[in-house]
């Protein structure tokens, strides 16, 4: 009896093995054997028709199948790697619609002030940079916070003079719109009481003496270019590689570089650096590149821009976008507003701020580019600048008719209620920095500058969605956190994850977690014209995926910012993390 039972078991096992072998042979013969199967997972696809699944198979870098473990298991072949995710969350990798990879990477490679929390911290860090850098060249760095210099956000030269009067000290703000110099740097740059403000720029001055006080705004920063040690090609390559690796660790596998310079012949040192990093295998990102509109010029720059597009595409990068810097920032009163700033009396600049591109030029440029199928990408912070961008796209639509250029506006700190429905009407994407929509010191400066009424129009993400508009998220790193999970939490709670006691900022403008995830995945792919290739888990798309250490859809929303990426896949290959650790 025992022998008979044993034989039955042996026959059953043999039959099972033969069936598995037959299935594997059939799959291999049909060319359908997967390279990798990720199974026993909570798969969030971002696909409305099938938002959840249990397994995914990958072949040749693409999604081969998504569905139940049994259905996907049919693609298992003799050489298929199968990884049991133990019920972990598997979702599409994030995209970032607004990145500054070179600026960001360099801002940490030079004298970085990002870790400083006080003015005394800045002085200590800068003194260390001076002591560790022999010679007489300028010490240049990034990362000071406007909020540490209330109420105007303008630092003074005396603070840097206390560190060194002999070495030129020059530091760009975390937002990149302001520069802080000591007396030595001002002297070497030949910036004096008599130096006029350049177009679209401002030299901040002492209200009593009229002398330069130590900060420069917008185009005035170019006055210090001659003093700053220029970055080398190797510096740019190091910065891009640093950014790519850092964003991979956060689950990001695609970005839109928000403004690249180019030469008259269409060449660009930045694009050359991108190619070098890619060719040596250190760029695991789908890169989309926006060329920077030169505000000091007009439509005469279009031919050179086309040459730059052609050369960039020839090198294998997506480039069909132009970045317009329409205005500045609110605390320094360089953002263009529809009505005067509340406290404009203490500032010599125009009371409403001023756009950096005239309305007529912007309309002509956007219309001309739209006719060629080029995407318009705007920096607009004040409600006046936002309206100017909407009007420009509306003018292009009136002249050219409907198009699929997918224009987008970044930042949108203040959007007048009359303009909030226009995003849907113009098929224009609102590109927010999700983590910024919260109460923190910089927001205090913003509210003070715009007053109580306009403070109810800050980052109106929920309203734009309600009117049928589309959102896409971009971190604007290094200005803000690059961690998508931190941004997702703020998008839903409108509360700073580091300062929960400050309470929510306009909680009625929150979005759902599902909407926020879409804005960081499929909608980024959409504005990058890559939505047929990226942004969701669907058959045929690139296998850009992340395994997360917790299911963000089943935990308290205030814990989402704590989520960590365990493994990031770029085109089916792990580029961050180790698959082996998932099965231990």
């Amino acid at each position: 009896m025992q022998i008979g039972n044993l034989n039955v078991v042996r026959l059953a096992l043999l039959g099972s093995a033969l069936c598995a072998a037959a299935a594997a042979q059939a799959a291999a013969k049909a060319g359908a054997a997967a390279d990798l199967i990720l199974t026993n997972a909570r798969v969030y696809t971002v696909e409305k028709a099938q938002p959840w699944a249990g397994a995914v198979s990958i072949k040749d870098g693409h999604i081969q199948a998504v569905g139940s473990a049994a259905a996907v298991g049919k693609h298992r072949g003799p050489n298929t790697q199968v990884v049991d995710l133990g019920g972990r969350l598997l979702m599409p990798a994030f995209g970032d619609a607004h990145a500054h990879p070179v600026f960001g990477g360099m801002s940490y490679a030079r004298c970085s002030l990002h870790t400083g929390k006080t003015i005394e911290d800045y002085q200590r860090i800068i003194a260390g940079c001076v002591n560790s850098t022999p010679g007489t060249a300028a010490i240049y760095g990034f990362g000071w916070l406007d909020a540490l210099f209330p109420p105007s956000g303008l630092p003074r030269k005396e603070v840097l003079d206390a560190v060194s009067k002999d070495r030129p000290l020059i530091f760009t703000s975390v937002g990149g719109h302001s520069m802080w110099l000591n007396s030595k740097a001002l002297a070497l740059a030949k910036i004096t009481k008599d130096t006029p403000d350049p177009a679209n720029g401002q030299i901040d001055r002492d209200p009593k003496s009229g002398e330069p006080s130590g900060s420069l705004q917008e185009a005035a920063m170019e006055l210090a270019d001659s003093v700053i040690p220029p970055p080398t090609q190797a510096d740019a390559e190091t910065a891009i590689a640093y950014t790519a690796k850092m964003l991979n660790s956060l689950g990001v596998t695609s970005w839109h570089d928000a403004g690249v310079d180019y030469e008259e012949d269409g060449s660009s040192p930045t694009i050359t650096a991108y190619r070098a990093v890619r060719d040596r295998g250190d760029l695991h990102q789908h890169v989309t590149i926006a060329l920077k509109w030169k505000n000091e010029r007009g439509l005469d720059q279009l031919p050179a821009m086309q040459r730059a597009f052609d050369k960039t595409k020839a090198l294998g990068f997506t480039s069909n976008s132009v970045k317009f810097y329409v205005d500045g920032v609110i605390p320094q009163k360089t953002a263009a507003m529809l009505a005067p700033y509340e406290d404009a009396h203490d500032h010599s600049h125009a009371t409403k701020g001023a756009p950096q591109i005239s309305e007529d030029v912007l309309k002509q440029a956007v219309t001309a580019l739209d006719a060629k199928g080029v995407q318009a990408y705007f920096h607009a912070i004040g409600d006046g600048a936002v309206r100017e961008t909407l009007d420009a796209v509306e003018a292009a639509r009136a002249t050219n008719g409907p198009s699929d250029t997918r224009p987008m506006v970044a930042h949108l700190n203040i959007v007048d209620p009359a303009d909030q429905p226009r995003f849907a009407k113009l098929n224009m994407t609102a590109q927010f920095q999700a983590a910024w929509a919260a109460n923190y010191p910089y927001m205090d400066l913003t509210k003070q500058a715009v007053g109580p009424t306009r403070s109810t129009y800050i980052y109106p993400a929920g309203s734009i969605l309600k009117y049928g508009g589309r959102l896409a998220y971009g971190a604007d790193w290094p200005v803000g956190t690059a961690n998508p999970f931190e941004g997702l939490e703020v998008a839903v709670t409108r509360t700073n994850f580091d300062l929960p006691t400050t309470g929510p900022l306009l909680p009625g403008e929150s979005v759902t977690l599902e909407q926020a995830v879409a804005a960081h995945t499929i909608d980024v792919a959409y504005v990058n014209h890559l939505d047929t290739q990226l942004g969701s888990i669907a058959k045929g798309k690139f296998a850009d995926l992340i395994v997360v250490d917790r299911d963000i859809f089943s935990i308290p929303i205030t814990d989402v910012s704590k989520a960590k990426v365990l493994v990031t896949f770029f085109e089916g290959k792990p580029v961050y993390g180790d698959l082996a650790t998932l099965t231990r």
Side-chain angles (χ1 to χ4, degrees), residues 257-576:
D257 190 323
V260 169
D261 289 312
Y262 59 94
E263 305 297 332
E264 194 65 22
D265 65 357
S267 63
S268 167
T270 300
I271 307 302
T272 301
Y274 266 118
R275 179 182 63 179
V277 177
R278 181 200 60 196
D279 290 352
R280 68 173 183 246
D282 291 335
L283 185 63
H284 304 301
Q285 300 281 348
H286 300 278
V287 175
T288 301
I289 293 169
L291 301 181
K292 187 184 296 182
W293 181 265
K294 299 175 182 179
N295 286 352
E296 70 276 11
R297 295 176 59 181
L299 300 183
D300 61 298
Q301 63 191 286
L302 292 178
M305 191 169 282
Q306 186 60 56
R307 288 191 286 272
F309 281 138
D310 293 342
K311 288 192 175 185
T312 303
K313 292 174 186 175
L315 295 177
F317 295 102
T318 302
S319 184
N320 198 44
S321 175
V322 173
K323 175 74 176 295
F324 295 93
Y325 284 87
V326 182
D327 69 345
V329 290
I330 288 174
Q332 284 82 9
K333 319 297 188 303
T334 56
M337 305 298 295
L338 293 172
Y341 285 99
E342 292 288 313
D343 55 353
H345 62 276
D346 70 349
H347 209 280
S348 61
H349 198 53
T351 57
K352 294 194 298 184
Q356 296 183 14
I357 310 174
S358 74
E359 184 177 355
D360 288 342
V361 169
L362 189 63
K363 285 181 177 178
Q364 293 171 22
V366 172
T367 299
L369 291 167
D370 181 77
K372 293 178 177 293
V374 176
Q375 177 187 46
Y377 182 168
F378 307 95
H379 164 114
I381 282 181
D383 53 5
V386 173
R387 180 165 296 177
E388 185 174 330
T389 66
L390 291 162
D391 289 348
V393 172
E394 189 171 66
R397 294 281 182 263
T399 300
N400 301 331
S403 73
D404 190 35
T405 51
R406 307 183 186 184
M408 62 174 165
V409 190
H411 307 314
L412 303 159
N413 295 43
I414 309 289
V415 183
D416 190 82
D419 291 321
Q420 293 170 13
R422 298 177 68 194
F423 288 87
K425 293 176 182 177
L426 294 170
N427 193 22
M428 200 164 170
T429 299
Q431 190 230 88
F432 288 105
Q433 286 59 60
W436 295 4
N439 288 312
Y440 56 106
Y442 187 88
M443 188 59 65
D444 295 338
L445 297 182
T446 296
K447 291 178 181 178
Q448 176 181 312
V450 303
T453 300
R454 286 177 292 189
S455 290
T456 62
Y457 313 149
I458 296 174
Y459 300 128
S463 293
I464 289 174
L465 277 181
K466 178 184 69 176
Y467 289 118
R470 183 192 305 269
L471 308 183
Y473 289 152
D476 198 11
W477 182 81
V479 181
T481 174
N483 188 335
F485 292 114
E486 293 174 347
L488 294 179
E489 181 176 314
V490 176
V492 178
T493 65
R494 303 280 292 197
T495 300
N496 189 298
F497 50 88
D498 279 334
L499 301 168
T501 59
T502 59
L505 172 71
L506 306 178
E509 294 294 351
S510 66
V511 303
T512 68
L513 182 57
E514 289 78 8
Q515 289 170 330
V517 169
H520 234 319
T521 54
I522 189 63
D523 290 324
V524 173
Y526 170 84
V527 294
N528 292 346
H529 286 82
L530 295 174
D531 48 313
T532 60
Q533 303 174 57
L534 302 171
S536 66
I537 302 178
K539 183 178 179 180
K541 289 192 173 185
F542 281 116
D544 283 22
L545 311 167
I546 56 173
V547 181
V548 188
D549 70 343
R550 65 199 74 190
D551 183 355
I552 62 173
F553 297 95
S554 63
I555 60 176
I557 189 61
T558 50
D559 287 339
V560 169
S561 62
K562 302 180 182 68
K564 305 292 184 187
V565 173
L566 299 176
V567 178
T568 299
F569 294 89
F570 174 74
E571 297 185 0
K573 303 294 184 183
V575 292
Y576 171 77

Side-chain angles (χ1 to χ4, degrees), residues 186-264:
L186 288 167
L188 290 175
K190 299 180 181 179
I191 301 172
T192 71
K193 181 179 181 179
D194 299 321
T195 305
D197 287 347
N200 296 325
Q202 178 179 299
I203 302 169
D204 296 310
R205 306 172 193 270
D206 185 275
K208 294 181 179 179
S209 68
E211 293 288 341
S213 59
S215 57
L216 307 174
Q217 307 301 325
E218 304 297 341
M221 294 189 293
E222 296 172 11
L223 298 174
D225 283 352
S226 62
V227 186
I228 300 172
T232 65
Q233 189 72 21
D235 289 336
E237 293 175 19
T238 299
I240 292 169
Y242 172 91
T243 303
K245 185 176 181 180
M246 183 271 295
L247 288 179
N248 280 159
S249 75
L250 297 173
V252 177
T253 62
S254 67
W255 71 50
H256 200 133
D257 190 323
V260 169
D261 289 312
Y262 59 94
E263 305 297 332
E264 194 65 22

